Amino acid sequence: MKDLTSEYFEKVYRPTDLIAMNTDTGVMDTTLHNLLNTLGLTDKIVKQDLCLEYLYDGDEIDISEIHNNETGEVYWEDHDKPWSSIDETLVDSLLMWGEIE
C-alpha cells in the first residue's frame, strides 16, 4: 500500500527499451515487457508503455509497482509477504539495469 506522504517518481518503458537480467549463463538483454512475460506476471506480451513507480528511501530506490501506462493494469506491486524468486529477479534486474534515476 502506498504511503501518501512519500513522493513517488515514475519511469516509463517503451516496448523497445532494453534492460538486462541475470541468467544461469550470464547477463541477457531483454525488455521489461519480455521480462514480465518470462516471469509469468503477464499472460501475453504487453504492447503499451509500462510505468515503473518508485521512491527514494535514503540512498536506496524502492520500487512500488509496475503498471500498464495506458490501461492502468498493475502487473507487479511491492508487498509485505516474503518475496519470491520472481520478485527478486524483477527488482534486481530493474535496479541494476533499468536506469532508474
Side-chain angles (χ1 to χ4, degrees):
M1 178 173 288
K2 293 182 182 177
D3 176 1
L4 298 178
T5 61
S6 299
E7 183 177 357
Y8 283 83
F9 299 90
E10 295 182 344
K11 177 167 174 94
V12 174
Y13 293 87
R14 297 182 312 264
T16 56
D17 291 340
L18 291 177
I19 63 170
M21 68 177 281
N22 281 324
T23 66
D24 292 339
T25 58
V27 177
M28 175 182 84
D29 283 338
T30 189
T31 65
L32 179 55
H33 297 67
N34 287 336
L35 180 58
L36 289 173
N37 188 258
T38 299
L39 294 174
L41 296 170
T42 61
D43 57 0
K44 61 185 181 338
I45 299 294
V46 177
K47 306 249 188 263
Q48 297 87 10
D49 291 349
L50 296 174
C51 182
L52 173 80
E53 288 188 9
Y54 64 96
L55 57 89
Y56 290 97
D57 182 9
D59 290 339
E60 296 190 16
I61 294 175
D62 287 337
I63 297 173
S64 59
E65 83 174 29
I66 300 167
H67 65 266
N68 185 309
N69 212 30
E70 187 174 307
T71 67
E73 182 178 358
V74 175
Y75 300 116
W76 184 88
E77 62 185 341
D78 194 6
H79 47 82
D80 291 331
K81 60 186 175 186
W83 277 18
S84 69
S85 62
I86 290 171
D87 299 317
E88 294 289 343
T89 299
L90 178 63
V91 171
D92 288 349
S93 295
L94 286 165
L95 291 175
M96 291 183 73
W97 295 292
E99 298 182 12
I100 305 168
E101 300 187 32

